[in-house]
Amino acid sequence: MNTRPHSIEHTSGRTLTRRAVLRGMASAALTTMSPRLYAQHVQMGVVNPPVQLDDAWLIDQTGKKQRLNDLLSQHVTALQTIYTGCSSVCPLQGALFTAVQDRLPHIRANHPVQLLSVGIDPLSDSPAALHEWLMRFQAGPAWNAATPTLGDVDRIRTALSGSRLPLGNIADHATQIYCFDASAKLRWRSADLPRADEICDVLNALGRV
């Protein structure tokens, strides 16, 4: 994408400190989160056969309207679902992607690798709210956010989860990570709040496909 959220200006010491805090949050999530009903999923691991999601329009953090499959195409993507008003698991998910972002330079892939946070509360996840959320976690140019229309959000969540169960309240949304190959096909679903290294291993593998 041509337009990115403006970066926050920090001294190098403050930036390193904040990154250390975010990495610590991600690590703490792995030890403090008990198995909960956040994720409405029935499938984890490799998605076989790969799934091409039905296309839908999304609005990104710059206000640009784009199709989902255009966002995913020609990139290897790790996607998470969040909502900007969440104060429970979404900050942990943001910290997790910060940890993944730090490792992206070490991934060798045939296609660009990106992170995508998909807002699931279209009434609140405005471009400005998405922009602020990305800034909060020091998102760089490889990490973007977008929100589908109200009519498409549940359809996207259901397709991502692979579940036929009712989705329930957005506060109980999935904390899985969904990885796509460069042809915009869903190839892997994580367990809830996976390790950053696990996500990077999958991105590395998909980057060689």
Side-chain angles (χ1 to χ4, degrees), residues 143-161:
W143 182 359
N144 292 280
T147 304
T149 64
L150 189 61
D152 286 332
V153 64
D154 284 349
R155 179 167 59 85
I156 291 175
R157 290 175 64 198
T158 299
L160 287 171
S161 70

Side-chain angles (χ1 to χ4, degrees), residues 58 80-84 117-122 125 130 145-148 153:
L58 293 89
Q80 63 183 186
T81 57
I82 57 100
Y83 63 101
T84 56
S117 299
V118 172
I120 57 172
D121 184 7
D125 294 337
L130 294 173
T147 304
V153 64

